[in-house]
Amino acid sequence: MADGPTGAVLALLGVLSVYAASGSGPVVERETGGETEWAEPWDGAVFRPPSALGAVGMTRSPRTPQPGREEAGDLPVLLWWSPGLFPHFSGDSERIECARGACVASRNRRVLRDSRTRALLFYGTDFRASDAPLPRLAHQSWALLHEESPLNNFLLSHGPGIRLFNLTSTFSRHSDYPLSLQWLPGTAYLRRPVPPLQERAEWRRRGYAPLLYLQSHCDVPADRDRYVRELMRHIPVDSYGKCLQNRELPAARLQDTATATTEDPELLAFLSRYKFHLALENAICNDYMTEKLWRPMHLGAVPVYRGSPSVRDWMPNNHSIILIDDFESPQKLAEFIDFLDKNDEEYMKYLAYKQPGGITNQFLLDSLKHREWGLNDPLLPNYLNGFECFVCDHELARLDAEKAHAASPSDSPSPETHIAQPSHMDCPMPTPGFGNVEEIPENDSWKEMWLQDYWQGLDQGEALTAMIHNNETQQRKFWDYLHEIFMKRQHL
């Protein structure tokens, strides 16, 4: 995934997979003879960004807005503090209809101090302590949308950082509006037929490795290249992209890193020739699973996976991926992959979920069925709009509770403040991809970058929390601290 504020926003848009208003988006799932089938997108539309945001439809509800709110001019305002994600047509404000009633969504920061502005919506990769809208107003909720890993913002991986927010929408199932399956369109995506083993055997006879590695983001918190480098000593790995590269993709167009996260048919056809894909996430967080996991399963390859420690909870059955951490060493993993590569019957057991009735994980099935947003589904909102309506409904309920308390304090208690918890991100301190941190030299780039960023994220969260809860005399100390961090990073 892209890093940096701009790149992360584009990455987020790339995974929305919204139904284009122009009608150009394909129907990706259809029912034929009682079996759900997957219609392969011809242009990567499953993970294609909407055109200039204009194709993102608004979340609407058939119900009539609650009487009295609009006439009184007191519709709650939701302010997108990350204006680049404002999920509406051109303009600064838009009325939205949600399950509980109506709100006004806006990206105009001039409404920050308005008494009607009840919630501020932040995109986690963009959130910086130096840009926090202080002083924080007591009547406003802060809502966080962050489907990315902590790679771009370690502040959110610590209690003081995540507790700055009231509502969350993250990859964690424990967040208020979970996005755990943001890269999985549906069960049909997993049922794509497996290429004939004879074709893959021919590919091997032509000198290609059993294992594929495709990565162009080489310095990441999970330190995945260190592990792959060691694994390469024990088994052949074809590495494409910029990380540990030893082969070139067959066409210059496919070498563009932007293509690597799409459903480009030429790229998919090439990748599907490999029996095993190294699928290593850029960071280790519970429930953080990306296309690196789901795409090999779509193609009928076996993911050799390191990432979410809770990944087994989400698998189609209990025998569909190889977990790196189940093996005591890269050598033992290499021996097991070599065994499967030479034993088709054992290998095919990992693809049994593609057969009728092969998806047996009820938790996965229920999660897909009941999620409130969809990918390329015109009947469901994309998760930007869904999150917006979730916040709107929360603020409408909070307003009603406040009014009830004001009218009858003895009968209606004051609404409790909802605070996000560390489990809403659940990303522990980075550890080396291979070996012990004590064995890694102090000048190692991973050690200098990610361990320092991790602890600086904690410091920023604690400083910002102190800034919010203390008087303005803390302000100068706070800004001096941020400047010190900036200067340190300039010299890395």
Side-chain angles (χ1 to χ4, degrees), residues 119-190:
L120 274 60
L121 281 61
F122 300 88
Y123 180 44
T125 298
D126 285 348
F127 182 79
R128 293 294 181 269
S130 58
D131 188 44
L134 302 177
R136 181 169 178 172
L137 301 184
H139 72 281
Q140 290 178 348
S141 298
W142 281 16
L144 173 70
L145 174 72
H146 193 50
E147 91 310 353
E148 275 281 8
S149 79
L151 181 146
N152 294 319
N153 198 346
F154 268 108
L155 182 154
L156 305 173
S157 297
H158 302 280
I162 196 68
R163 289 192 188 100
L164 294 169
F165 300 92
N166 304 101
L167 304 172
T168 62
S169 180
T170 76
F171 49 78
S172 171
R173 75 185 83 178
H174 302 296
S175 69
D176 299 305
Y177 192 80
L179 304 176
S180 308
L181 297 175
Q182 60 185 301
W183 285 95
L184 181 59
T187 55
Y189 185 75
L190 296 173

Side-chain angles (χ1 to χ4, degrees), residues 184 284 317 387-388 412 473 481:
L184 181 59
I284 308 300
N317 62 28
F387 174 61
E388 193 179 58
S412 301
T473 60
Y481 168 77

Side-chain angles (χ1 to χ4, degrees), residues 351-429:
L351 302 176
Y353 63 87
K354 290 185 174 290
Q355 303 303 317
I359 300 178
T360 58
N361 184 349
Q362 197 60 44
F363 175 69
L364 173 67
L365 295 171
D366 290 344
S367 298
L368 287 168
K369 179 179 180 181
H370 297 299
R371 66 184 179 185
E372 298 176 12
W373 46 272
L375 301 178
N376 266 28
D377 189 339
L379 302 180
L380 291 172
N382 65 72
Y383 60 68
L384 272 183
N385 292 114
F387 174 61
E388 193 179 58
C389 258
F390 171 77
V391 176
C392 173
D393 287 338
H394 177 271
E395 292 310 307
L396 290 172
R398 190 161 68 96
L399 271 171
D400 288 343
E402 289 173 358
K403 291 177 180 178
H405 175 68
S408 180
S410 59
D411 296 331
S412 301
S414 177
E416 295 184 4
T417 302
H418 182 78
I419 302 294
Q421 298 299 311
S423 63
H424 293 200
M425 283 292 291
D426 211 0
C427 302
M429 184 174 72

